[in-house]
Amino acid sequence: MPQSFKNIPIKVLPAQPAEDAIEYEDRVLYAKAKKVYPRWVTGRFTQWRWFWLVATQLFFYGMPWLNWGDRQMLLFDLVNRKFYIFNFIFLPQDFIYLTALLLMCAFGLFVWTSIGGRLWCGYSCPQTVYTEIFLWVEKWVEGDRMARMKLDNGPMNFRRLRLKYTKHAIWLVIAAWTGFTFVGYFSPIRELTTDVLNWATGPWESFWILFYGFATYGNAGWMREQVCKYMCPYARFQSAMFDSDTLIISYDAGRGDPRGSRKKGDDYKAEGKGDCIDCKLCVQVCPVGIDIRDGLQYECIACGACIDACDSIMDKMEYPRGLVRYTTENALAHKYPESEIANHVLRPRVILYSVVLLVVAAAVVFSLMFKSPVKVNIMRDRNALVRETDEGLLENSYRVQIQNTDEQGHRFIIRADGLPDLKVLTDQGEIVEVPANGSVLVGIRVQVEPQFVSRGSKKIYFEVQAADDLTLKVREKSSFIGQ
């Protein structure tokens, strides 16, 4: 042993008692989730929530059934690699538009979150929407909060089984219809309906109907708030977009505390109490089971149910509304009056997010306005780069793919320039017909006099012009190989 370590005292720790080891072995590593029984509530924010619920679901369930001409208005045809969105048809080459769409969604969410917090979660998120639908079914079948708690804590009798089976049967119907509609965005829904009725769906269609339906049933029926708390990443990084001027649902502790029960008409201020009567109704109506009076929490989805519940109690007690309300931290701290909240909306982060969003949106709109329905792909014949014809001309062979994403067929003429007296010969004659939403591969040969081209490659340009529509013209660059 080195000399420097010989004189260091060694402390011997006493052995842990056996009962401590047993206690450690029995220690629970995680808390068991408690079922949340949200109480039904009515009010202005509940009405807004149901308005957006109906609007989003009318769009989701109804859009696949709408047609644009003789095709589905919104269809992502993965088999044929064509994506129909209103009057636009996108091909895999248009992947840049998907990137732009994702950027707009991301920055749109950033802007909205910076201004109004988690309003997306509370009013339009599919998890919130379907949980609200399933809770409405549960209330309609089993009753409100106390009735559901009594039913779950009661004996397993015929009534309980009947109500549970009825509720789950309705849930499964909603989930199955949701899965069917989801697949209807990727497979023509009218054909899909016929296949489902005849039990003739393909393996992938069957899988995704069952998978999406099962996900809806499990997330909205069983996991509910657990998805928002533990599975949704937005709950974790939302604080990065919040600041002291972001609108959030807050409890006014300065007005509400000290809390305490009282009778209507009591002089509670003389007793040293605040406006909060500690009824806990705001906790009972919360779909994620939190107490908003504990301050801002990442579990809060900003649905406004606690505001409606508190306002109803304030009305009964004849107190002013707004004990729980949408406000900002700075306004709650009296750094400026709440009437000036709108004046603090335009902040550096909001302006930055908005500028990026508007630039991307403007670029997409500009690009779509000038988007040509004709796409041309030039491919050289690699087997024979150059050959000499019987007439003494130099000849290169190409394959030209013409894709017509228009709703009607067109007749195209192929020309070439870039070298003097270029001759273009096609396998299909002078006119190439391409059907609506179709593609044609044309073999062409380009010939030129030897004196006009030196050894190596020279740039040439192909021009594909619609004979029946002069506005449809595409010009693509290629090369001509000389001797």
Side-chain angles (χ1 to χ4, degrees):
M1 178 181 294
Q3 295 294 327
S4 58
F5 289 101
K6 284 186 176 181
N7 298 325
I8 297 178
I10 299 176
K11 182 179 181 181
V12 179
L13 298 176
Q16 294 292 330
E19 58 271 16
D20 289 348
I22 296 175
E23 179 183 356
Y24 177 78
E25 291 177 358
D26 293 342
R27 189 173 299 163
V28 178
L29 298 180
Y30 62 93
K32 183 179 179 181
K34 295 181 180 180
K35 185 175 181 180
V36 177
Y37 295 87
R39 183 171 178 170
W40 200 254
V41 65
T42 57
R44 52 178 175 160
F45 292 104
T46 302
Q47 292 174 352
W48 271 110
R49 196 162 62 251
W50 274 93
F51 168 80
W52 286 109
L53 183 152
V54 172
T56 54
Q57 297 316 293
L58 282 177
F59 180 90
F60 174 75
Y61 290 112
M63 185 56 68
W65 297 97
L66 300 180
N67 278 3
W68 188 280
D70 57 351
R71 64 168 174 80
Q72 194 168 310
M73 181 179 291
L74 198 60
L75 177 65
F76 308 103
D77 190 350
L78 298 179
V79 175
N80 297 311
R81 294 180 296 177
K82 293 180 180 179
F83 310 99
Y84 304 94
I85 303 177
F86 301 106
N87 64 321
F88 294 104
I89 301 176
F90 297 95
L91 301 174
Q93 300 93 304
D94 298 317
F95 184 80
I96 187 66
Y97 289 105
L98 176 61
T99 305
L101 177 63
L102 294 177
L103 283 174
M104 288 191 294
C105 290
F107 280 96
L109 186 63
F110 296 164
V111 171
W112 196 243
T113 303
S114 300
I115 296 174
R118 296 183 67 179
L119 293 180
W120 159 259
C121 295
Y123 294 88
S124 299
C125 175
Q127 175 64 23
T128 302
V129 167
Y130 288 108
T131 298
E132 193 77 13
I133 294 174
F134 277 40
L135 281 172
W136 179 83
V137 172
E138 189 173 71
K139 173 183 178 296
W140 180 63
V141 175
E142 298 180 357
D144 204 356
R145 183 173 186 270
M146 295 305 297
R148 299 199 303 272
M149 295 174 66
K150 182 178 179 181
L151 182 68
D152 287 351
N153 295 326
M156 184 61 72
N157 51 27
F158 175 76
R159 178 178 177 274
R160 182 177 177 181
L161 287 174
R162 176 176 59 84
L163 294 178
K164 293 294 182 182
Y165 276 111
T166 301
K167 178 185 71 175
H168 285 280
I170 299 174
W171 281 0
L172 287 171
V173 170
I174 297 173
W177 185 255
T178 303
F180 166 78
T181 304
F182 173 77
V183 176
Y185 281 93
F186 300 90
S187 181
I189 197 165
R190 288 171 175 80
E191 299 176 11
L192 182 65
T193 303
T194 303
D195 292 341
V196 169
L197 294 177
N198 294 326
W199 296 91
T201 54
W204 282 109
E205 292 173 332
S206 303
F207 170 79
W208 284 109
I209 290 175
L210 294 175
F211 178 83
Y212 199 82
F214 177 76
T216 303
Y217 172 73
N219 290 348
W222 291 92
M223 291 189 287
R224 293 183 179 174
E225 75 282 351
Q226 305 301 318
V227 175
C228 300
K229 286 183 177 180
Y230 306 117
M231 297 174 63
C232 178
Y234 182 51
R236 304 294 177 178
F237 67 77
Q238 60 165 329
S239 59
M241 293 171 278
F242 278 30
D243 58 28
S244 298
D245 291 311
T246 299
L247 274 174
I248 56 176
I249 297 178
S250 302
Y251 165 72
D252 192 344
R255 172 187 159 187
D257 293 342
R259 311 166 194 169
S261 60
R262 79 292 303 266
K263 295 181 180 180
K264 181 179 179 180
D266 286 354
D267 189 3
Y268 63 95
K269 292 186 178 180
E271 300 174 7
K273 296 178 180 178
D275 284 2
C276 180
I277 67 173
D278 203 21
C279 63
K280 294 183 174 60
L281 192 62
C282 57
V283 181
Q284 296 175 18
V285 301
C286 180
V288 293
I290 64 172
D291 190 341
I292 193 61
R293 298 173 298 177
D294 293 337
L296 178 63
Q297 300 154 70
Y298 79 90
E299 298 94 338
C300 178
I301 61 173
C303 65
C306 54
I307 300 179
D308 287 336
C310 186
D311 284 348
S312 67
I313 296 300
M314 294 295 103
D315 291 343
K316 292 178 181 178
M317 299 298 294
E318 297 183 353
Y319 298 165
R321 287 187 170 194
L323 181 59
V324 179
R325 63 185 183 273
Y326 275 106
T327 186
T328 67
E329 290 184 3
N330 283 337
L332 199 61
H334 304 291
K335 293 184 178 180
Y336 53 76
E338 295 198 357
S339 59
E340 296 183 5
I341 289 178
N343 298 333
H344 293 79
V345 169
L346 292 180
R347 310 186 297 277
R349 67 169 60 202
V350 176
I351 295 174
L352 178 61
Y353 293 152
S354 301
V355 168
V356 176
L357 175 61
L358 291 176
V359 168
V360 176
V364 170
V365 172
F366 181 82
S367 177
L368 290 176
M369 289 175 60
F370 295 95
K371 182 177 181 292
S372 174
V374 180
K375 297 183 182 298
V376 176
N377 186 23
I378 309 294
M379 297 165 283
R380 290 189 54 85
D381 186 355
R382 299 297 181 182
N383 295 324
L385 295 180
V386 59
R387 75 180 189 90
E388 187 174 353
T389 67
D390 296 339
E391 294 81 11
L393 302 177
L394 296 182
E395 180 181 273
N396 284 195
S397 298
Y398 305 83
R399 288 184 300 165
V400 178
Q401 184 181 33
I402 305 175
Q403 290 181 313
N404 177 26
T405 62
D406 203 353
E407 299 294 333
Q408 61 181 5
H410 291 288
R411 303 163 66 243
F412 294 94
I413 301 174
I414 302 177
R415 303 185 182 92
D417 60 70
L419 292 173
D421 297 333
L422 280 178
K423 297 180 181 179
V424 177
L425 304 175
T426 67
D427 296 343
Q428 300 184 12
E430 184 179 355
I431 301 295
V432 179
E433 295 188 4
V434 184
N437 300 324
S439 176
V440 171
L441 187 62
V442 184
I444 67 172
R445 289 165 292 140
V446 178
Q447 299 175 349
V448 66
E449 295 284 348
Q451 64 267 24
F452 295 131
V453 57
S454 59
R455 186 179 300 273
S457 65
K458 298 294 183 181
K459 290 183 181 179
I460 64 172
Y461 297 89
F462 287 93
E463 185 176 275
V464 179
Q465 169 74 60
D468 52 357
D469 188 348
L470 298 180
T471 62
L472 296 182
K473 181 171 65 175
V474 177
R475 188 174 173 86
E476 290 290 335
K477 182 176 68 173
S478 186
S479 62
F480 189 94
I481 305 297
Q483 295 180 356

